[in-house]
Amino acid sequence: IAGQQQILLSPYLAASFAFLTHLALCAPFLVLDALGGVCQRVRSWRMAAGSGPPPSLWKWYECFWRVLFKYITAVLPATALFQLLRSSSLPELAPSCWQLSVEVVACFLLFDTLFFIWHYCMHRVPWLYRAVHQMHHQHHVPFALAAQDASSAELLSLLLLALGSAWMLGCHPLSEALFHFLNSWLAVEDHCGYNLPWALHRILPCMGGAPFHQTHHKKQSKNFAPYFTHWDHLFGTYIEPRSEQHVHKHN
C-alpha cells in the first residue's frame, strides 16, 4: 500500500485494469487464431461440432471496438460510482494464504450460483433475452475476446454479480482483486474455442470449460452455469459436450 494509496483508491482503476487484463488474457488466443491457418497442431486443438476456421483478425478488430465502447460508456462510470461509495481506506494487513484461498473459492461458488440463476432467467424470459442477452449470442461459435461482447445491460449485471459476491462474503480487497482476475481468465477460457491439453477443466472434473460453454452457444437451452457443472446436473440442464460433438459427426 505504501505510496500507492491514491492509485489504489482511484475510481478509474477497476475498469481500466479489468479492460487491460481482458486484452492481455485474450492475447495468447489471438496468436493461436492467427497460427490456426498454418499450423495443423493448433487446428487440432479447436473444438469439433462445426466450429469451422478460427475467427479472422477483422472479427477481432470489430469486437475490440464494441467492447471498448461499452467499457467507456457503461462499465467505467458504474465502477467509478461504486468506488466513490466504498470505504476510502484499505486494511493494513494482507490476508493469510488460507483466508485468501477460502475467500476466492467462496466467491466463485457464490458467483457461479448467482450467474446460473440470472443466465437461466435471461433465456427463459423472452423480453429479457431480447433486451439483455441476445447480443452475446450473435457468436454461435465464440472466441476469446467475445467473452465480454455483450450488451451494456448484461455487462453491468455481471459486474454487479461479481462485486456483490465479494461484498456479501466480506472479502479482503486482495481476495476480491484475485477473484476478479481469475474470473476474467475463466471467462476468456470458456469462450476461446479451444479444448487445450492444459485447460483447467481437464484438471478439475467439476469445471465445464470451453467445450461445456460452446455447447451452450450452439444449444441454448443447456449448460447455463459459467464455470462449474453441479447446478446444471441438479436442474437437468446439463448436456455432455462430447456427446453433442459425436451427434454432429455422425450426422
Side-chain angles (χ1 to χ4, degrees):
I1 300 174
Q4 309 300 326
Q5 187 93 352
Q6 186 175 356
I7 296 174
L8 291 171
L9 293 174
S10 168
Y12 309 111
L13 177 65
S16 303
F17 182 75
F19 181 72
L20 294 175
T21 298
H22 181 59
L23 292 183
L25 295 175
C26 288
F29 296 106
L30 173 60
V31 174
L32 287 179
D33 284 349
L35 291 174
V38 296
C39 180
Q40 177 60 38
R41 172 60 64 87
V42 172
R43 284 199 300 272
S44 72
W45 291 336
R46 281 190 62 78
M47 284 180 282
S51 62
S56 65
L57 294 179
W58 178 252
K59 198 167 185 178
W60 275 80
Y61 176 81
E62 289 182 317
C63 186
F64 167 81
W65 286 109
R66 284 195 302 269
V67 174
L68 177 62
F69 175 77
K70 285 158 193 169
Y71 260 84
I72 294 173
T73 59
V75 177
L76 183 64
T79 53
L81 177 61
F82 181 79
Q83 187 65 28
L84 291 172
L85 296 175
R86 296 184 75 170
S87 171
S88 59
S89 62
L90 294 170
E92 290 294 329
L93 297 177
S96 66
C97 291
W98 172 252
Q99 180 187 351
L100 182 73
S101 302
V102 169
E103 288 181 349
V104 170
V105 171
C107 273
F108 271 111
L109 290 172
L110 179 56
F111 176 78
D112 191 79
T113 301
L114 297 175
F115 187 105
F116 174 84
I117 296 169
W118 175 230
H119 196 189
Y120 184 87
C121 290
M122 286 193 291
H123 276 273
R124 288 293 185 262
V125 180
W127 69 265
L128 202 56
Y129 178 81
R130 291 192 301 270
V132 179
H133 194 48
Q134 188 173 24
M135 183 176 293
H136 183 62
H137 274 280
Q138 66 181 300
H139 301 288
H140 299 293
V141 179
F143 59 102
L145 195 60
Q148 296 197 27
D149 191 10
S151 68
S152 297
E154 182 169 358
L155 284 178
L156 290 176
S157 69
L158 298 182
L159 174 66
L160 181 62
L161 293 184
L163 292 172
S165 297
W167 177 77
M168 283 187 278
L169 294 169
C171 291
H172 188 284
L174 188 59
S175 302
E176 183 179 353
L178 181 58
F179 161 65
H180 290 310
F181 175 78
L182 295 176
N183 192 24
S184 294
W185 164 250
L186 289 178
V188 167
E189 190 182 77
D190 266 6
H191 291 81
C192 70
Y194 292 89
N195 192 4
L196 297 170
W198 56 83
L200 191 59
H201 68 274
R202 292 180 176 271
I203 303 170
L204 300 175
C206 60
M207 306 288 289
F212 175 85
H213 193 69
Q214 180 156 306
T215 301
H216 168 73
H217 274 259
K218 298 182 72 66
K219 197 176 185 69
Q220 297 187 23
S221 61
K222 301 291 183 181
N223 295 1
F224 293 106
Y227 306 132
F228 303 107
T229 60
H230 57 276
W231 288 120
D232 284 293
H233 280 294
L234 286 170
F235 285 91
T237 55
Y238 177 83
I239 184 171
E240 174 63 44
R242 286 172 297 182
S243 64
E244 184 72 5
Q245 292 177 6
H246 175 76
V247 169
H248 180 89
K249 290 178 180 179
H250 181 72
N251 290 339

